[in-house]
Amino acid sequence: MKEIDDLNLPDDLKYTEDHEWAKSEGDLVTVGLNDYAQDQLGEIVFVEVPEVGDTFSQGDEFGSVESVKAVSEMYIPISGEVVEVNEGLEDAPELVNQECYGGGWVIKVKPDDPLEMDKLLDKAAYLDMLKG
Amino acid sequence: MSNRPGTSGLIFKEPQLWDKSSEGRCAVSIPRTDVERSELDKKYVGDAPDLPQLSELDVVRHYTRLSQWNFGVDSGMYPLGSCTMKYNPKTNEVQAARQGFAGAHPLSGEEFSQGALKLMYYLEKYLATITGFDAVSLQPAAGAHGELAGMLVIHAYHAKKGKQRSKIIIPDTAHGTNPASATLCGYQSINIKSGEKGILEPEAVAAVMDEETAGIMITNPNTLGLFEDNLKEIAGIVHEKGGLVYGDGANMNAIMGVVKPGEIGVDVLHLNLHKTFATPHGGGGPGSGPIAVTKELEPFLPIPRIEQEIDTYKLVTDCPDTVGRLHTFYGHFGVMIKAYSYILSMGAKGLKDVSTYAVLNANYVKESLKDTMNLPYDQPCMHECVFNDENQREFHITTMDMAKRLLDYGFHPPTVYFPLVVDGAFMVEPTETESKEYIDQFIDAVKAISKEAETDPDKLKKAPYLTKVTRLDEVTAARKPCLRG
Amino acid sequence: MRYLPHTKEDIKSMLAVTGHSSVDDLFECIPEQLRTKQGMELPEALSEWDLDAHMEALASQNIACKDYKCFIGAGNYDHFIPAIIPYLISRSEFCTAYTPYQPEVSQGTLQGIYEFQTMITELLGMDIATASHYDCGTALAETALIALRKHRKANKIAISALVHPSHRQIVETYIIPAGYQMVEIPYTKEGLTDVSAIDGMDDIAGIAVQSPNFLGNIEDLSSFRAAADKKKIMFTVSFTEALAYGLLKNPGSFGADLVAGEGQSLGIAKTFGGPGLGLLAGTKKLMRNLPGRLIGKTKDTNGDNGYVLTLATREQHIRREKASSNICSNNGLNAMTAAIYLATVGKIGIREIAQQNHDKAFYLKSCLEKSEFTPVYDSSFFNEFVMKAPEGFAAKRNELIKENCMLAGLSLEQFYPDFKDHYLFCATEKVSKEDIDQLTKEVQP
């Protein structure tokens, strides 16, 4: 497993304490699992995604990721409605391992309140949390 | 090491059934047609299922070769913790195969099934005296099914009291079936941590026990192989708030004749006949998971019940408070026969000896290996002991590597990575039927592998070498499931 | 005791290592007040030959100890078991192994069950079959829970009143504590489930229909598929007689989402009703919702084919309180038995045996008609059917068991109070024309 200093955590993303990332793109927010999460989970074999149209409040469980012998829940960084899910993950869940900030994104959300993004951690705060 | 049992031998290849199939072959003797053919309405008739077409020898050779790729208790020592892989006596198989039992139709009628009913009636009695309870139901088909039955009894008890509860307390050492069974009853699992000594502390239970909590599920001895010393006190705390104590009796094999759970505050207990009472595991079942309860909970047991009336035995379904039915007929009768034969073969002294030697063997392994593998809870154990791979980590060797290498030495590995409270757990349950010689061979094997971990860790990483297949790609199996040929 | 290998010498040297002065000290770690003062009230241990005598005496108190003729089914069927089946399944490598958690030394169980899954999907026309459940009733209860969880909103499951009575009871036992309900779909005077009743049912997450149903009649499964589609709910087919699908169109061809069945007919002894074999199959779409073990094919590090337990994340040992079911074991050895049976009878044998079941049952029905039994339904059946018996048959039936070792029909009144004097008969390939002729002769009023 990676040392904390070796983690790839892009500066322009927001992070949750549960190791999701969120990125504002226009009026949507893209959500995925960050490098730390994919590294801890190991080889991901299945990603359970919500349905388009489902709505969640910030911090709700919206899906799960599975490795061969573990399951982890994913928690939504921002309240809103799911407008798109990454269907490519059905056939290629390994994308979450290979490119967690690219092809391995999980959902796109239309936020109820874009200002909720401010409550999330930036890279430095997230790193501080990891280091405890 | 010269006396290790594992060695290489001739391993046959064998294709899948359909790759052997040849149009026109058939391995069954077709009965003669002595009545006229009656054609079923065409609209209901389908194509014949495309099953393989083989001769009798094709079938015999196929399954004989397959069986040779398996490791069973009869092949070698199988110290799989928590699973109790003891010797399965062969006379029990003979008893279960008797025509009067194996050929019995479940709806023959009570009058014509007295032998079966009498056997079940007495097996209930025997299990009751072994566990210290008042009543037993043999209906649950497996341990997890027994857990469900027990939780349903607790659920029905609270319903009858007029107020259903919403939560159940489950310790971190519990089998995964515990919380899953509780969920089926609509109970939310409240997980609590064991104390520093690996057993539950009364304070931890008192902190969460309230009048919304239906009870607690306790495995005793627990999955660390430790006796829950505080059980009686914990039961008192739970009972005081109107809750019940569920006992997971998966490890009853450690305490027969020594502790009766029914005497120390447990209200309902399930047993695994395929663990404690030596019935074979069959590669994953069928098992049998009877539950034993106190007098107060008897009305809630599943139906049908068996009652004695002078010298005859009958099935009773008129039980207004019952949780209902859990099996199409009466449970796994075929397994019950074997457990009944086992109890009759052992007697009370024999069963106590079983527990005594199970505990002796486990303590012997624990003392003999504690300088080789790390022992997170170093105290007297019951029927099993839990090590981990801490000593091997500096060589980047894991519990899994140790386990796989044991296969080459001719041993089935212990249970690995359970219980979850021990990181990298390596859980050894020798059982009472293993002799000192076999156990010494096992101990030597673990020591030799530990040495290899230091001197040749790469060798362990790729183990096993002598088995039919090497390590399998479980990631691809899960990513791209191929579940049929 | 012959199962316990410890000599005095062994005990002494082992205690020296563990640091105990006697074997009783091994239990000293258990607080004194928790140890029992009561002995176990058990009979004195029996020697192997005494045990044989005792067990034979018990077995002989069952009618089954004699060579009896079985004209009843109702969820447990009297089929011929070829000699190679008990012979092969007794191999201790199958019998004394645990769940195949270490695949390198469990390829026998794993390939065997993978082949079982494959042959069951072929028999039922479904995408996926699990590695088995306890029995049909518990498998059916699992399908009800799948339908309810998938639907999320509806709270009820609708089950045909012609599903095996025990199976309906099991479903209720399983689903009611979780807050769900079961409603019954009524039946028509043709002895078939009334599909038209489904339309008016509210708040249902799925329907389940047994075919052939408990009265032996073959249901029109396509009409139920249509009814389920109309409500956009799950459609489960159940069955108690697996051999019927050697002849009948399979549930998959009618678009069943889930199938729950009993596989006891596939080479498994009757054994007073258990252990049998719960079959559970589903469509590919439901793969991750199916409870119970699944075996998958993969490769080892040398690139050779091998098999593993897979998709384990659905199961209780990983998902704990969030698992799709609490099931842990399966009826593995019986699944293997069924696989050996299916490989033995093969494509040719299963069709011929199924056809003969139908032939014998048809012949039995026509003979009973001549003996003043009245047929109750006109519907097509496989190997079971209902007859109304002439007066005095109940007493005659008991006599037939005692005098002739013939189990002739099962009274339906215990299951359906309206069915006074109605009997469910069954004939399998095991009964001969002479047996049937003798039965009809004996039941002449």
Side-chain angles (χ1 to χ4, degrees):
Chain A
M1 272 174 217
K2 293 184 184 179
E3 300 296 328
I4 289 179
D5 292 334
D6 296 338
L7 291 173
N8 170 18
L9 297 167
D11 292 324
D12 59 335
L13 301 182
K14 292 284 197 173
Y15 300 93
T16 69
E17 291 183 2
D18 304 305
H19 320 293
E20 289 85 16
W21 58 264
K23 184 182 185 186
S24 285
E25 288 173 299
D27 53 359
L28 298 183
V29 174
T30 306
V31 176
L33 282 182
N34 71 21
D35 192 32
Y36 176 81
Q38 73 78 21
D39 184 56
Q40 289 285 318
L41 282 161
E43 293 180 278
I44 288 166
V45 298
F46 182 65
V47 184
E48 188 197 5
V49 294
E51 283 177 27
V52 170
D54 286 355
T55 58
F56 297 95
S57 301
Q58 191 172 37
D60 282 356
E61 182 184 326
F62 73 92
S64 62
V65 274
E66 300 181 6
S67 61
V68 172
K69 289 188 172 109
V71 188
S72 282
E73 284 79 31
M74 295 184 286
Y75 300 94
I76 204 156
I78 191 158
S79 309
E81 182 187 338
V82 177
V83 293
E84 198 180 336
V85 300
N86 186 351
E87 281 166 12
L89 296 180
E90 193 177 333
D91 285 329
E94 57 271 28
L95 286 173
V96 177
N97 293 119
Q98 291 162 356
E99 36 182 310
C100 64
Y101 304 112
W105 65 275
V106 182
I107 53 170
K108 291 188 181 178
V109 182
K110 185 172 170 47
D112 295 341
D113 174 10
L115 293 178
E116 267 184 1
M117 286 293 278
D118 298 343
K119 293 191 213 160
L120 300 176
L121 307 172
D122 61 15
K123 177 180 175 177
Y126 177 74
L127 274 173
D128 284 348
M129 186 208 81
L130 278 189
K131 288 172 182 162
Chain B
M1 233 205 29
S2 56
N3 70 338
R4 71 191 204 197
T7 178
S8 61
L10 181 62
I11 300 175
F12 290 101
K13 283 189 180 170
E14 178 66 10
Q16 295 176 334
L17 281 169
W18 37 94
D19 295 330
K20 299 179 74 173
S21 176
S22 247
E23 186 77 32
R25 285 197 185 132
C26 180
V28 75
S29 164
I30 301 289
R32 74 192 152 96
T33 45
D34 53 1
V35 300
E36 251 179 76
R37 188 115 293 193
S38 159
E39 298 297 340
L40 189 64
D41 189 336
K42 282 277 171 288
K43 72 174 176 185
Y44 296 116
V45 178
D47 296 331
D50 195 12
L51 299 174
Q53 302 183 54
L54 307 161
S55 72
E56 188 165 316
L57 178 58
D58 286 337
V59 177
V60 169
R61 205 163 266 165
H62 183 77
Y63 287 99
T64 301
R65 287 180 175 177
L66 255 57
S67 76
Q68 290 168 342
W69 305 339
N70 256 17
F71 190 111
V73 175
D74 289 5
S75 322
M77 189 170 159
Y78 213 127
L80 195 63
S82 208
C83 301
T84 315
M85 299 302 286
K86 61 169 76 174
Y87 170 64
N88 310 130
K90 306 311 167 201
T91 187
N92 300 345
E93 303 298 315
V94 172
Q95 309 312 336
R98 288 183 190 282
Q99 176 59 24
F101 294 137
H105 192 287
L107 301 173
S108 306
E110 290 163 354
E111 187 184 348
F112 307 104
S113 310
Q114 284 296 302
L117 295 176
K118 187 175 179 183
L119 184 153
M120 291 168 73
Y121 180 81
Y122 277 97
L123 180 56
E124 286 186 358
K125 285 253 168 279
Y126 298 157
L127 296 178
T129 185
I130 292 167
T131 56
F133 284 96
D134 298 301
V136 171
S137 167
L138 301 171
Q139 198 175 126
H145 208 216
E147 277 181 34
L148 173 60
M151 292 313 293
L152 288 167
V153 164
I154 290 175
H155 191 269
Y157 165 87
H158 287 299
K160 179 83 181 174
K161 286 252 155 186
K163 188 178 169 292
Q164 193 47 266
R165 299 182 172 206
S166 60
K167 299 178 287 186
I168 194 97
I169 302 171
I170 300 181
D172 53 3
T173 50
H175 291 109
T177 46
N178 283 186
S181 301
T183 300
L184 276 170
C185 290
Y187 290 137
Q188 185 200 347
S189 299
I190 304 296
N191 298 306
I192 58 168
K193 283 194 162 48
S194 304
E196 261 172 37
K197 286 168 65 190
I199 60 171
L200 279 175
E201 307 281 359
E203 298 75 36
V205 177
V208 292
M209 184 64 210
D210 59 21
E211 273 151 23
E212 266 303 305
T213 304
I216 186 168
M217 299 182 87
I218 301 183
T219 307
N220 192 20
N222 70 21
T223 57
L224 290 165
L226 306 176
F227 192 86
E228 292 285 354
D229 289 353
N230 305 316
L231 180 60
K232 208 165 183 172
E233 203 180 333
I234 289 167
I237 294 165
V238 172
H239 288 152
E240 195 178 326
K241 302 268 185 187
L244 295 175
V245 178
Y246 180 88
D248 181 325
N251 298 336
M252 188 69 206
N253 56 312
I255 53 171
M256 287 186 289
V258 181
V259 174
K260 293 192 177 187
E263 291 177 354
I264 59 172
V266 176
D267 299 291
V268 49
L269 177 91
H270 91 259
L271 294 163
N272 301 72
L273 298 187
H274 47 287
K275 294 183 180 176
T276 305
F277 299 98
T279 74
H281 284 75
S288 177
I291 56 169
V293 298
T294 58
K295 193 100 210 135
E296 194 180 10
L297 296 180
E298 185 176 1
F300 304 106
L301 286 176
I303 51 164
R305 312 266 347 264
I306 299 161
E307 284 181 10
Q308 185 185 33
E309 226 171 52
I310 314 169
D311 270 344
T312 60
Y313 302 87
K314 56 177 195 168
L315 293 162
V316 177
T317 54
D318 181 23
C319 308
D321 292 329
T322 176
V323 298
R325 188 185 277 277
L326 277 158
H327 188 266
T328 306
F329 298 106
Y330 323 112
H332 286 170
F333 178 68
V335 180
M336 297 171 207
I337 301 168
K338 298 174 195 180
Y340 175 86
S341 301
Y342 179 72
I343 293 170
L344 287 187
S345 301
M346 302 308 289
K349 179 180 179 305
L351 289 180
K352 187 171 178 186
D353 286 346
V354 162
S355 292
T356 304
Y357 298 133
V359 173
L360 176 63
N361 282 357
N363 277 284
Y364 180 70
V365 168
K366 176 176 73 75
E367 288 302 317
S368 304
L369 282 180
K370 74 179 190 187
D371 295 330
T372 306
M373 291 198 76
N374 179 52
L375 186 67
Y377 298 93
D378 185 5
Q379 48 193 294
C381 66
M382 302 303 289
H383 62 297
E384 61 197 1
C385 52
V386 181
F387 302 95
N388 75 358
D389 52 10
E390 206 173 295
N391 299 351
Q392 284 71 35
R393 275 177 210 162
E394 60 174 305
F395 315 109
H396 301 284
I397 288 300
T398 64
T399 286
M400 189 58 85
D401 299 325
M402 304 277 292
K404 295 298 183 196
R405 185 62 178 148
L406 264 171
L407 295 169
D408 288 329
Y409 279 71
F411 295 92
H412 195 283
T415 292
V416 293
Y417 301 101
F418 183 84
L420 306 176
V421 289
V422 173
D423 191 21
F426 183 92
M427 181 194 206
V428 184
E429 180 179 15
T431 82
E432 72 282 0
T433 53
E434 294 301 324
S435 67
K436 180 170 178 296
E437 288 85 345
Y438 289 131
I439 296 172
D440 283 338
Q441 282 184 344
F442 172 76
I443 290 166
D444 288 346
V446 175
K447 287 181 175 169
I449 292 168
S450 178
K451 207 138 276 121
E452 285 181 328
E454 291 174 37
T455 56
D456 195 357
D458 284 347
K459 187 166 194 181
L460 265 61
K461 285 275 165 218
K462 294 194 188 105
Y465 299 91
L466 301 181
T467 48
K468 167 74 170 48
V469 292
T470 58
R471 291 195 202 188
L472 290 146
D473 182 355
E474 297 187 44
V475 172
T476 305
R479 275 183 186 160
K480 310 236 171 340
C482 172
L483 307 176
R484 55 163 295 174
Chain C
M1 177 61 211
R2 64 190 188 281
Y3 310 147
L4 303 174
H6 297 71
T7 65
K8 281 194 182 127
E9 221 19 71
D10 293 337
I11 295 168
K12 210 174 124 194
S13 60
M14 291 171 86
L15 287 173
V17 172
T18 64
H20 294 88
S21 55
S22 75
V23 287
D24 290 332
D25 285 3
L26 289 164
F27 295 104
E28 254 188 3
C29 55
I30 301 176
E32 171 73 27
Q33 75 274 19
L34 299 188
R35 282 181 257 162
T36 185
K37 311 289 178 288
Q38 314 291 321
M40 297 179 281
E41 288 167 43
L42 297 173
E44 204 183 325
L46 297 180
S47 68
E48 188 171 358
W49 46 92
D50 288 338
L51 180 69
D52 281 342
H54 173 85
M55 295 301 280
E56 186 52 34
L58 268 181
S60 68
Q61 291 173 46
N62 288 343
I63 182 76
C65 70
K66 301 180 187 151
D67 183 22
Y68 74 109
K69 300 295 168 196
C70 193
F71 292 99
I72 64 174
N76 191 272
Y77 299 90
D78 185 43
H79 293 293
F80 181 72
I81 300 176
I84 61 168
I85 290 171
Y87 179 86
L88 289 170
I89 203 64
S90 309
R91 289 198 59 101
S92 71
E93 299 93 329
F94 289 138
C95 191
T96 71
Y98 193 70
T99 303
Y101 286 133
Q102 295 290 343
E104 298 88 345
V105 285
S106 311
Q107 286 298 304
T109 296
L110 288 162
Q111 182 174 330
I113 301 297
Y114 177 81
E115 290 172 344
F116 164 81
Q117 290 173 185
T118 303
M119 289 189 285
I120 296 300
T121 56
E122 179 58 37
L123 182 71
L124 303 179
M126 301 298 289
D127 300 331
I128 297 166
T130 70
S132 78
H133 281 252
Y134 310 131
D135 65 3
C136 177
T138 53
L140 184 64
E142 297 282 7
T143 66
L145 288 168
I146 296 170
L148 286 160
R149 288 195 198 109
K150 283 292 274 185
H151 196 284
R152 292 193 209 171
K153 294 190 187 84
N155 200 41
K156 293 178 194 157
I157 198 89
I159 302 225
S160 161
L162 299 181
V163 162
H164 193 294
S166 290
H167 298 169
R168 280 178 279 137
Q169 289 175 3
I170 296 168
V171 171
E172 284 206 293
T173 305
Y174 265 69
I175 70 172
I176 286 180
Y180 302 120
Q181 283 175 44
M182 186 185 98
V183 288
E184 286 192 2
I185 312 170
Y187 55 91
T188 65
K189 59 181 190 310
E190 286 82 34
L192 295 168
T193 307
D194 185 1
V195 66
S196 70
I198 295 169
D199 226 9
M201 292 180 159
D202 291 329
D203 197 25
I204 57 175
I207 54 172
V209 179
Q210 178 179 322
S211 184
N213 65 32
F214 189 66
L215 305 178
N217 297 322
I218 301 169
E219 298 275 3
D220 171 18
L221 295 177
S222 55
S223 66
F224 292 94
R225 175 71 268 175
D229 281 343
K230 205 166 157 193
K231 286 187 134 45
K232 294 202 175 73
I233 55 174
M234 210 75 88
F235 172 39
T236 297
V237 175
S238 77
F239 59 87
T240 57
E241 173 52 291
L243 274 180
Y245 290 103
L247 185 60
L248 302 186
K249 273 187 197 153
N250 59 43
S253 62
F254 295 101
D257 297 301
L258 291 161
V259 180
E262 177 58 54
Q264 177 267 329
S265 291
L266 307 175
I268 297 161
K270 298 187 286 298
T271 327
F272 207 46
L277 176 65
L279 303 173
L280 178 57
T283 56
K284 193 155 193 290
K285 220 174 117 193
L286 294 171
M287 176 169 73
R288 288 173 195 274
N289 302 101
L290 293 175
R293 294 193 182 126
L294 289 166
I295 313 287
K297 188 172 163 181
T298 186
K299 302 247 185 237
D300 74 359
T301 52
N302 296 328
D304 289 331
N305 283 338
Y307 305 85
V308 289
L309 285 168
T310 193
L311 302 178
T313 43
R314 300 161 299 121
E315 296 186 64
Q316 48 76 27
H317 63 279
I318 291 174
R319 213 174 274 246
R320 296 175 82 87
E321 63 266 25
K322 289 183 179 166
S324 55
S325 163
N326 80 335
I327 195 160
C328 177
S329 64
N330 59 352
N331 276 12
L333 202 64
N334 283 5
M336 188 71 88
T337 305
I340 301 174
Y341 181 86
L342 290 168
T344 301
V345 297
K347 183 178 182 178
I348 299 171
I350 197 167
R351 182 56 154 224
E352 179 61 24
I353 293 168
Q355 179 65 49
Q356 287 207 20
N357 272 259
H358 180 61
D359 298 343
K360 305 262 174 158
F362 194 84
Y363 180 71
L364 173 63
K365 190 178 179 194
S366 61
C367 290
L368 287 171
E369 266 186 82
K370 290 176 199 143
S371 304
E372 298 188 26
F373 280 75
T374 322
V376 181
Y377 304 115
D378 260 346
S379 308
S380 291
F381 60 93
F382 174 63
N383 66 358
E384 284 183 282
F385 56 89
V386 181
M387 296 296 263
K388 188 163 187 296
E391 215 170 298
F393 176 67
K396 181 78 207 170
R397 182 182 176 276
N398 248 21
E399 217 174 277
L400 271 173
I401 304 175
K402 286 184 191 158
E403 305 294 321
N404 304 77
C405 277
M406 283 187 161
L407 264 178
L410 184 70
S411 167
L412 283 175
E413 200 181 346
Q414 56 186 315
F415 306 109
Y416 302 90
D418 296 348
F419 282 1
K420 201 168 153 26
D421 295 327
H422 285 54
Y423 287 81
L424 183 64
F425 281 89
C426 177
T428 69
E429 78 284 0
K430 264 182 85 177
V431 295
S432 65
K433 178 169 182 296
E434 295 84 64
D435 297 332
I436 296 173
D437 290 344
Q438 198 203 339
L439 172 70
T440 41
K441 196 172 119 237
E442 295 291 339
V443 299
Q444 296 278 3

